[in-house]
């Protein structure tokens, strides 16, 4: 698919990078951009050779500064609801992608931008990253999952403090509260994200996908059922060539060469 507002590239075999590309509007998310993010996630998901996806924003100022306020200004209630649902669909496509997703946050990560980053599996923050859910400044709530994903990530009290004050959080604090996993100097952000993606790409691909599936599905289950799920995916790994190769390579003291079969 040809995209106008995002750039989807395969930067190395199996490693995709999706860049939100509206730098003049600080990569704000309009309807077209939301649709393209959702479509790009499906496109990567359709590639069985995909191993990881890095999501970032164009330019050096913003990851994404939120949903597009110009587009939202004249929306009716019905249109606002549909806009929210559009974002929810796109972000859910991303969240359910079979391979790990890393948000490489290179600047302002506000409102819909923070919600987009939280739809990835984890956030790697540049030391210039600024996070926040400033929707209350505009007289609205978050609409792309912020009230739900932020509370799940950082806990109810911290989420409510951020959501009701609209306070911005710098990278170090984002790590401290569990929103981001690590801070790196801005000029090393993409190298770091790529290094992590390469590490993942060298592991057993079936196991990596099943780990993500187990964590994602398991977190909304009770512990007993979640542990049953883990036993199922663990057992499934034993039917793969990757398992034979991984354990064989360990015992033969050599590096495993996985095929994803
Ligand atoms: N939507 C549309 N345009 C935006 C935008 C947004 N969310 N954020 C920035 N822009 C545009 C600005 O209007 C400006 O355009 P012009 O050059 O045409 O005037 C351009 O991007 C550059 O922005 P600024 O001049 O404001 O840059 P700055 O460095 O002074 O400030 C900023 C940067 C602090 C991020 C500021 O732009 C800002 O506060 N942006 C809005 C952040 C926000 O409120 N986000 C939440 C949106 S609501 C939402 O996301 C709802 C939801 O959950 C679904």
């Amino acid at each position: 698919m040809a995209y106008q507002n995002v750039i989807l590239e395969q930067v190395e075999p199996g490693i995709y990078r999706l860049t939100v590309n509206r730098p003049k509007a600080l990569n704000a998310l309009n309807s077209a951009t939301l649709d393209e993010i959702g479509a790009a996630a499906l496109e990567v998901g359709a590639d069985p050779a995909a191993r990881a996806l890095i999501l970032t924003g164009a330019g050096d100022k913003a990851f994404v500064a939120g949903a597009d306020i110009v587009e939202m200004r004249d929306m009716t209630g019905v249109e606002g609801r549909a806009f929210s649902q559009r974002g929810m669909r796109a972000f859910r496509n991303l969240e359910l992608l079979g391979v790990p997703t890393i948000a490489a946050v290179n600047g302002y990560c506000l409102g819909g931008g923070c919600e987009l980053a939280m739809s990835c599996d984890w956030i790697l923050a540049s030391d210039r990253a600024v996070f926040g859910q400033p929707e209350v400044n505009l007289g609205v709530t978050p609409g792309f999952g912020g009230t739900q994903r932020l509370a799940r990530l950082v806990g109810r009290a911290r989420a409510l403090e951020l959501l009701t004050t609209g306070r911005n959080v710098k990278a170090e604090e984002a790590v401290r509260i569990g929103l981001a996993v690590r801070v790196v100097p801005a000029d090393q952000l993409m190298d770091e994200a790529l290094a992590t993606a390469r590490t993942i790409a060298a592991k057993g691909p079936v196991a990596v996908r099943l780990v993500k599936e187990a964590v994602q599905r398991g977190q909304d289950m009770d512990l007993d059922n979640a542990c049953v799920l883990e036993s199922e995916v663990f057992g499934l790994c034993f039917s793969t060539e990757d398992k034979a190769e991984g354990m064989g390579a360990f015992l033969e003291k050599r590096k495993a060469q996985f095929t994803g079969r």
Side-chain angles (χ1 to χ4, degrees), residues 39-228:
L42 292 180
E43 186 175 335
V44 176
D47 178 3
R51 297 288 178 262
L53 172 74
I54 298 165
L55 186 75
T56 196
D60 55 10
K61 200 167 162 187
F63 173 74
V64 165
D68 192 319
I69 299 169
V70 177
E71 187 178 344
M72 287 188 295
R73 182 178 44 195
D74 297 325
M75 283 181 186
T76 64
V78 170
E79 289 164 346
R81 182 170 185 263
F83 184 62
S84 167
Q85 289 170 334
R86 204 166 193 153
M88 295 291 190
R89 260 195 314 273
F91 291 9
R92 193 70 179 141
N93 284 354
L94 189 62
E95 196 164 44
L96 293 177
L97 187 63
V99 296
T101 52
I102 305 168
V105 172
N106 52 312
Y108 287 113
C109 182
L110 301 175
C114 192
E115 294 167 302
L116 175 61
M118 291 190 292
S119 303
C120 293
D121 292 324
W122 63 88
I123 294 172
L124 183 65
S126 118
D127 54 8
R128 296 215 293 260
V130 176
F131 299 86
Q133 297 285 165
E135 287 87 346
V136 288
N137 294 332
L138 303 169
V140 296
T141 66
F144 300 156
T147 60
Q148 303 310 308
R149 292 195 179 92
L150 187 62
R152 282 165 170 74
L153 264 180
V154 306
R156 189 180 61 170
R158 284 194 169 110
L160 276 170
E161 189 251 331
L162 294 177
L163 290 161
T164 57
T165 61
R167 180 171 75 82
N168 284 347
V169 165
K170 291 189 178 152
E172 292 290 351
E173 184 179 356
V175 170
R176 196 155 30 83
I177 65 176
L179 177 55
V181 297
R182 210 146 45 88
V183 188
V184 294
D187 61 354
Q188 291 167 30
L189 180 69
M190 196 43 66
D191 285 348
E192 284 285 330
L194 274 169
T196 303
R198 268 184 220 119
T199 300
I200 294 165
K203 308 299 178 194
V206 178
V208 168
R209 284 173 181 264
L210 289 174
V211 162
K212 175 165 175 174
E213 197 176 322
V215 170
Q216 232 170 16
R217 287 185 186 276
Q219 69 187 357
D220 293 325
M221 290 178 173
D222 63 81
L223 188 62
D224 279 340
N225 279 311
C227 288
V228 168

